[in-house]
Amino acid sequence: MSHTATGHHGYISDKDEYLRRLRRIEGQARGLQGMVSDEKYCIDILTQVSAMTKALEAVALGLLNDHMTHCVLTAAQEGGEEAEEKLREASEAIARLVRS
Amino acid sequence: MSHTATGHHGYISDKDEYLRRLRRIEGQARGLQGMVSDEKYCIDILTQVSAMTKALEAVALGLLNDHMTHCVLTAAQEGGEEAEEKLREASEAIARLVRS
Amino acid sequence: MSHTATGHHGYISDKDEYLRRLRRIEGQARGLQGMVSDEKYCIDILTQVSAMTKALEAVALGLLNDHMTHCVLTAAQEGGEEAEEKLREASEAIARLVRS
Amino acid sequence: MSHTATGHHGYISDKDEYLRRLRRIEGQARGLQGMVSDEKYCIDILTQVSAMTKALEAVALGLLNDHMTHCVLTAAQEGGEEAEEKLREASEAIARLVRS
């Protein structure tokens, strides 16, 4: 399977699992619209937001792990500037996740 | 405008604005599915997740502020156990947000 | 006990408990200096930083709860602009905590 | 410079800079004790806690970056289980930082 030819990166460990989780997150976003529309009790809405944030965080950490295991490891084995560039990118993405 | 009769809480300052933001968040969740499906570069996906987390956070903080200005303030003016219960609930919701 | 006369705010539920926790946090900051100085293993240092961040977060949430129970509730019962100002301040502090 | 002989890991880019930052964080922890002891205004205390959390976060992200650049890259170049183990450890540390 050549990912390069199609522009794919091929690092994702279990695509169906991520898609399943993201569909659920999309459903939560739709659920929140219903709750706001019906003016449900604020605390219940906030509980849903916290659950959705945690679900998103888990997707991000999973993808980051896949990326480091696959792309960063491969780049590191090839060495040179590519490896450093990949690590710099990963560090910046981690900083954004920690701060968000 | 009687929200009590319909079970609504009437605390949300600008419902259309929240719905608009939540629809955009729903769109971001759909966009992430496309990115995962196409195996877009991990760092770009993570950047989108961070943006979506920040957007959700802003919705949560806005709703919490509306809730405190409306429900907590009202309860506090009436006093008694209701006020303490409302503050306890708000504190727990804040702790969940800070930790998520 | 007149806090007003001394400029104190008198909202802290259990000062000794907070001081005990903050002394432990100070000790953790000192411990981290020892670990960095000895170049302990990075992952162990990061585990300590996470523990310290959680301890700080717990102190912040406790103080915020005390503040809302005491100052915000009192202001709310008095009503008017003072109450709104206190809630606005609390909301801003919550936003800073959620984002940090 | 042989760190191995002394059990050091030698991955920290600028030890003095980290020590300087950690001493400032230690001073912030001491300052917070003074503020709680004097019952300073809660919102001002929370502002200090947020600043201290951000400073700690920056130290953690810096150390993580040093660790990945040094230990993870080295392990990756050697390959095998060691590389995977190092990445697994790093991912767990990142997850703790994102969640704390």
Side-chain angles (χ1 to χ4, degrees):
Chain A
M1 183 169 53
S2 166
H3 285 298
T4 316
T6 57
H8 290 183
H9 292 85
Y11 63 89
I12 299 181
S13 60
D14 185 347
K15 206 190 273 194
D16 289 344
E17 170 63 16
Y18 285 115
L19 289 175
R20 197 184 58 71
R21 290 207 242 165
L22 286 168
R23 273 195 299 271
R24 195 159 58 191
I25 288 168
E26 184 194 339
Q28 287 175 305
R30 231 173 356 249
L32 281 173
Q33 289 167 61
M35 292 179 90
V36 166
S37 199
D38 294 349
E39 295 212 23
K40 293 292 183 205
Y41 189 50
C42 177
I43 300 297
D44 296 333
I45 302 182
L46 293 179
T47 300
Q48 280 301 98
V49 171
S50 292
M52 196 176 152
T53 305
K54 274 188 189 302
L56 256 180
E57 214 170 76
V59 165
L61 290 170
L63 288 170
L64 180 64
N65 188 46
D66 287 357
H67 172 70
M68 294 208 303
T69 310
H70 191 282
C71 308
V72 176
L73 211 57
T74 304
Q77 279 151 4
E78 290 166 359
E81 281 182 27
E82 177 76 3
E84 278 169 38
E85 167 67 12
K86 282 273 185 289
L87 275 174
R88 196 187 51 71
E89 268 185 1
S91 286
E92 286 171 7
I94 292 164
R96 279 194 299 270
L97 286 177
V98 169
R99 287 180 182 134
S100 71
Chain B
M1 181 171 50
S2 168
H3 286 298
T4 315
T6 58
H8 291 180
H9 293 86
Y11 63 89
I12 299 179
S13 59
D14 185 346
K15 207 189 273 194
D16 289 344
E17 169 63 16
Y18 285 114
L19 289 175
R20 198 184 58 72
R21 290 207 242 164
L22 286 169
R23 272 194 300 273
R24 193 158 60 191
I25 289 168
E26 186 194 337
Q28 288 173 305
R30 228 170 3 246
L32 282 173
Q33 290 166 59
M35 292 179 90
V36 167
S37 198
D38 295 348
E39 295 212 23
K40 292 292 184 204
Y41 189 49
C42 178
I43 300 297
D44 296 333
I45 302 183
L46 293 179
T47 300
Q48 279 301 98
V49 171
S50 291
M52 195 175 152
T53 305
K54 273 189 191 301
L56 255 180
E57 212 171 78
V59 166
L61 290 169
L63 288 170
L64 179 64
N65 188 46
D66 286 358
H67 172 69
M68 295 207 305
T69 309
H70 191 281
C71 307
V72 176
L73 210 58
T74 306
Q77 279 151 4
E78 289 166 0
E81 283 181 24
E82 178 75 5
E84 279 168 37
E85 167 66 14
K86 283 273 185 289
L87 276 174
R88 197 187 51 72
E89 268 184 1
S91 287
E92 287 171 7
I94 293 163
R96 279 193 299 270
L97 286 177
V98 169
R99 289 181 180 132
S100 72
Chain C
M1 182 172 54
S2 169
H3 285 299
T4 316
T6 58
H8 291 180
H9 292 85
Y11 63 89
I12 298 180
S13 60
D14 186 346
K15 206 190 272 194
D16 289 343
E17 170 62 17
Y18 285 115
L19 289 175
R20 197 184 58 72
R21 290 207 241 165
L22 287 168
R23 273 194 300 271
R24 193 159 61 190
I25 289 168
E26 185 194 339
Q28 288 174 304
R30 227 167 7 242
L32 282 172
Q33 290 167 59
M35 292 180 90
V36 166
S37 198
D38 295 348
E39 293 212 26
K40 291 293 182 204
Y41 189 49
C42 176
I43 301 296
D44 296 332
I45 302 183
L46 293 179
T47 301
Q48 279 301 99
V49 170
S50 292
M52 195 173 152
T53 305
K54 273 188 190 303
L56 255 180
E57 213 171 78
V59 165
L61 291 169
L63 288 170
L64 179 63
N65 188 46
D66 286 357
H67 173 69
M68 294 207 305
T69 310
H70 191 282
C71 307
V72 176
L73 211 57
T74 305
Q77 279 152 3
E78 289 166 359
E81 282 181 26
E82 177 77 4
E84 279 168 39
E85 167 67 12
K86 283 272 184 291
L87 276 173
R88 198 186 51 71
E89 267 185 2
S91 287
E92 287 171 7
I94 292 164
R96 280 193 300 269
L97 286 177
V98 169
R99 287 179 182 134
S100 72
Chain D
M1 183 172 49
S2 168
H3 285 297
T4 316
T6 57
H8 291 181
H9 293 86
Y11 63 88
I12 299 179
S13 60
D14 186 346
K15 206 190 274 195
D16 289 344
E17 169 63 16
Y18 285 115
L19 289 175
R20 196 184 58 72
R21 290 207 242 164
L22 286 168
R23 273 194 299 272
R24 192 159 60 191
I25 289 168
E26 185 193 340
Q28 287 174 306
R30 229 171 0 247
L32 281 173
Q33 290 167 59
M35 291 179 90
V36 166
S37 198
D38 294 349
E39 294 212 23
K40 292 292 184 204
Y41 189 49
C42 177
I43 300 297
D44 296 334
I45 301 183
L46 293 179
T47 300
Q48 279 301 98
V49 171
S50 292
M52 194 175 153
T53 304
K54 273 187 190 304
L56 256 180
E57 214 171 76
V59 166
L61 291 169
L63 288 171
L64 180 63
N65 188 46
D66 287 357
H67 172 69
M68 296 206 305
T69 309
H70 191 282
C71 308
V72 176
L73 211 57
T74 305
Q77 279 151 3
E78 291 166 359
E81 281 181 26
E82 177 76 6
E84 279 168 38
E85 167 67 13
K86 283 274 186 289
L87 276 174
R88 197 187 51 73
E89 268 184 1
S91 287
E92 287 171 7
I94 293 164
R96 280 194 298 271
L97 285 178
V98 169
R99 289 182 180 130
S100 70

